Amino acid sequence: MRTVKMRMAGGLAVAVVVMAGFGATGAVAAPPGTAGPRYTAGSDGAGDPYFPYSGNGGYDVQHYDLALTYTPPAMAPAPLQGSLTGVATIDLVATQDLDRFNLDLRGMDVTRVTVGGKPAAEVEAPAPGDEVDGAAYWQVQDDAARRWELTVQPRPKVKSGKSVRVVVEYRGTTVRPLDVEGALYGWVTTRDGAIVVSEPEGSMTWYPVSDHPTDKATYRFAITVPAGKVAVANGLPHKPAETSDGWTTWFWDAPDQQASYLTTASVGDFELRPTYTSTSGIPIVDAVDANLTANQLNTTNASLALQPAMIDFFESRFGPYPFNSYGAIVDDDSVGYALETQTRPVYSGSAGQGTVAHELAHQWFGNAVSPLRWQDIWLNEGWATYAAWLWTDDRGGTTAQQAYNSWYAPARTAAYWSFQIGDPGDLGLFATQVYNRGAATLHALRVEVGDEAFFEGARLWVERFNDGAATSADFQSVYEEVSGEDLDAFFQIWLWDQVKPPATWTL
Ligand code: ARG
Ligand code: ZN
């Protein structure tokens, strides 16, 4: 779904359909009432300058149905490689008259494509501008350019506004993929399964996808693994697992709008624990690796037991929990970080209390409302960090003011202060400043506008852009609306000025 809620004059929230993300790069269909359809290729990116080939133009995905079969590596030998076969059934709506369109897919071999039930022939990638006869598909795998594309040429061509079902069959050897800064991400093969954590554009390592947060969709999963292994995805099981001939299929359904980077289908020796609920009735399903050390298990159990209280607390501050379910996936293997995968964050090694609060807060900030461009990442990480400060404060620990003071007080390098969290760069998405200056920005905003407007703004932000994506400018507008203040100077200082913010907001 590519519906982004936008505020129109008069403060009315309306849903508009964004044709090709932002900065529409694809050719535009003829306006209605003029000559017939003009079929062109959908763009090979959503228009995000940080990741130019992530996402695609010309259509809007409604739903992904992913049937995966995965064999984890044998326990002993390196290298860690598994084998994955998939059938992705993708329902999309054309947003231009489509001659061709792309999906993102990295390191997997496509074996069959149908569009509207009609098979396409596999062909060599044509030279730019060259015609291809008939229904066809081809792949480009350019590691140097980080350009990994599956192009589909449907026949008949697809008129703007038409729904079409695309089925992609694929297979490949799973590895341990790296993101632009060299961190593990995507379908990370582990000794006993896979940790699947795909921020920012690693979903393309395990399914064909329009891999950008501006194209949210619903998901359904059937994940078949060797009997004894447990596969855990987003949402809730829609039927009990089925075992036959030594294989078990796990079924998960995620009915809420979801950004691609928040999709998971992690596999391991998990204990799937009995469901419990928050006060508000959200079912919580945890999957905890049976091989954690006693220490890891103690830490993890203590933190997970606090999830219902954390949901209660964040609901009281940010509004209703935005999805149908919650819970954790805790793996004994590690990627070195946790990820807020929608409804079911993934933790590496163990789940500490602060991290659990952080990943839960992301469900409102990052997941319900996602960054429209990766440039806007501070709205994810600043909020999640600040929400964890609020949780600690509410539990009688360090207050948010004390946390702010201990961030503000120490002398730091010029390089630290010159980092612009408003535009951190692709290599700066997860820089410490995005988290800590981001959280401090929110605390300063709270001091600036007062508690009442601050929390009203948080709720309005989530309500207005829920199921969509938004920018720092949208965020500023919300806070100008709730406070009645002009916040240009405030956000200039906190997001852009390359120096330490003045002590104005230090209480
Ligand atoms: N969003 C995650 C968190 O702060 C961090 C993801 C880090 N990802 C990475 N590729 N380094 O909870
Ligand atoms: Zn985070």
Side-chain angles (χ1 to χ4, degrees):
M1 191 193 75
R2 205 192 293 270
T3 301
V4 177
K5 287 183 192 147
M6 288 187 158
R7 188 163 56 93
M8 308 305 273
L12 196 69
V14 298
V16 300
V17 174
V18 179
M19 295 301 285
F22 36 89
T25 45
V28 177
T34 63
R38 202 166 74 76
Y39 293 98
T40 52
S43 74
D44 58 5
D48 194 317
Y50 286 13
F51 302 97
Y53 302 112
S54 153
N56 301 282
Y59 64 88
D60 175 1
V61 178
Q62 311 292 304
H63 183 73
Y64 294 91
D65 187 297
L66 303 177
L68 308 176
T69 302
Y70 179 57
T71 312
M75 298 301 278
L80 288 170
Q81 294 187 336
S83 100
L84 181 68
T85 62
V87 180
T89 303
I90 304 169
D91 293 323
L92 54 83
V93 176
T95 54
Q96 70 185 58
D97 295 325
L98 276 178
D99 176 48
R100 299 172 182 172
F101 61 88
N102 280 23
L103 289 159
D104 305 311
L105 186 63
R106 171 180 175 187
M108 292 279 134
D109 220 32
V110 174
T111 54
R112 183 178 153 89
V113 173
T114 64
V115 182
K118 297 197 181 65
E122 178 168 19
V123 300
E124 289 294 311
D130 278 9
E131 301 273 315
V132 173
D133 283 339
Y137 73 87
W138 58 90
Q139 286 185 265
V140 170
Q141 296 286 301
D142 184 343
D143 290 3
R146 299 187 71 82
R147 178 163 168 251
W148 298 288
E149 301 284 342
L150 164 66
T151 302
V152 178
Q153 177 172 288
R155 291 294 179 271
K157 298 174 185 183
V158 184
K159 261 188 110 155
S160 183
K162 264 195 68 178
S163 303
V164 66
R165 174 165 287 184
V166 183
V167 180
V168 179
E169 298 182 18
Y170 59 101
R171 59 181 64 242
T173 298
T174 67
V175 291
R176 289 166 67 82
L178 301 179
D179 70 8
V180 68
E181 58 170 337
L184 289 168
Y185 83 148
W187 188 282
V188 179
T189 308
T190 61
R191 293 161 303 152
D192 65 350
I195 299 186
V196 183
V197 284
S198 301
E199 189 181 20
E201 29 69 276
S203 279
M204 64 175 86
T205 65
W206 59 283
Y207 65 98
V209 54
S210 188
D211 206 355
H212 193 271
T214 45
D215 195 356
K216 296 187 179 186
T218 55
Y219 285 82
R220 205 169 243 240
F221 308 83
I223 309 157
T224 302
V225 290
K229 297 289 174 190
V230 178
V232 188
N234 312 90
L236 289 170
H238 64 275
K239 55 176 162 168
E242 292 168 3
T243 300
S244 69
D245 294 332
W247 292 87
T248 300
T249 304
W250 298 86
F251 302 97
W252 295 87
D253 184 44
D256 299 305
Q257 292 296 320
Q258 180 168 301
S260 54
Y261 76 95
L262 299 169
T263 309
T264 193
S266 294
V267 177
D269 297 325
F270 297 122
E271 177 204 343
L272 203 54
R273 296 185 172 172
T275 304
Y276 54 110
T277 57
S278 68
T279 305
S280 54
I282 303 298
I284 304 174
V285 182
D286 296 324
V288 179
D289 200 304
N291 305 314
L292 296 189
T293 65
N295 272 338
Q296 289 175 324
L297 193 61
N298 283 340
T299 303
T300 296
N301 285 344
S303 307
L304 298 188
L306 291 168
Q307 291 179 123
M310 288 179 182
I311 292 175
D312 290 352
F313 174 66
F314 289 150
E315 287 191 317
S316 77
R317 296 297 187 273
F318 310 140
Y321 177 79
F323 306 120
N324 78 332
S325 58
Y326 195 58
I329 300 170
V330 188
D331 200 311
D332 72 331
D333 276 295
S334 179
V335 293
Y337 59 87
L339 185 68
E340 63 268 22
T341 35
Q342 191 155 302
T343 70
R344 193 138 305 110
V346 172
Y347 303 88
S348 287
S350 71
Q353 186 182 154
T355 309
V356 171
H358 179 108
E359 307 311 337
L360 173 61
H362 270 308
Q363 306 304 311
W364 286 262
F365 303 106
N367 300 10
V369 185
S370 301
L372 187 75
R373 313 159 300 190
W374 283 107
Q375 179 187 333
D376 301 306
I377 187 73
W378 82 274
L379 288 165
N380 288 19
E381 301 308 342
W383 263 117
T385 303
Y386 191 59
W389 290 4
L390 294 175
W391 165 256
T392 303
D393 186 334
D394 190 65
R395 301 293 280 190
T398 307
T399 66
Q401 184 63 53
Q402 286 165 341
Y404 175 92
N405 292 347
S406 36
W407 169 80
Y408 192 83
R412 298 179 191 273
T413 62
Y416 181 93
W417 294 116
S418 69
F419 186 95
Q420 297 179 303
I421 65 170
D423 191 6
D426 57 349
L427 299 176
L429 284 181
F430 306 109
T432 176
Q433 293 94 327
V434 170
Y435 289 72
N436 298 329
R437 184 169 175 152
T441 299
L442 294 165
H443 188 75
L445 180 63
R446 181 178 165 194
V447 171
E448 174 72 29
V449 302
D451 273 18
E452 203 181 307
F454 179 76
F455 289 106
E456 189 192 334
R459 287 188 291 271
L460 181 60
W461 169 249
V462 175
E463 194 185 295
R464 179 167 294 165
F465 295 102
N466 187 25
D467 288 341
T471 65
S472 297
D474 296 322
F475 187 71
Q476 181 176 331
S477 297
V478 163
Y479 274 89
E480 289 185 340
E481 194 176 320
V482 294
S483 69
E485 282 182 49
D486 178 342
L487 295 170
D488 276 347
F490 177 89
F491 283 106
Q492 175 64 37
I493 288 167
W494 283 92
L495 303 186
W496 302 102
D497 284 357
Q498 297 186 272
V499 293
K500 182 173 183 171
T504 318
W505 297 280
T506 308
L507 297 181

